[in-house]
Amino acid sequence: MSYLEIFTDYRLGSETTGEALMIAFRFYILAVGNVLGSPHFTDAERIETLKELDTAFNNVFPNGGVS
């Protein structure tokens, strides 16, 4: 499952945008921590993965979820 699919599921499965944003942001923080703390990534892979994560979050929650 891609980051985009995960964030979209949070958005569609929540009653409010605020609730979806709160849950998705927690996942975002955990994912960033996992990527940065994992010995299984090279620096280039970390950068690429963090870019994918950031792009997916911003596509589903443009402007940080503020309308």
Side-chain angles (χ1 to χ4, degrees):
M1 184 173 246
S2 72
Y3 291 125
L4 182 58
E5 291 170 321
I6 292 168
F7 291 131
T8 300
D9 283 352
Y10 286 141
R11 181 81 183 240
L12 297 175
S14 299
E15 289 188 25
T16 66
T17 302
E19 177 186 12
L21 182 60
M22 181 177 63
I23 295 167
F25 189 68
R26 287 180 184 161
F27 174 83
Y28 181 91
I29 296 298
L30 290 172
V32 168
N34 287 338
V35 170
L36 293 176
S38 174
H40 303 291
F41 287 98
T42 65
D43 287 343
E45 290 170 329
R46 279 189 181 95
I47 291 167
E48 189 60 34
T49 302
L50 292 172
K51 284 181 183 178
E52 290 173 17
L53 179 61
D54 192 57
T55 299
F57 187 84
N58 288 322
N59 282 340
V60 177
F61 298 99
N63 300 320
V66 177
S67 299

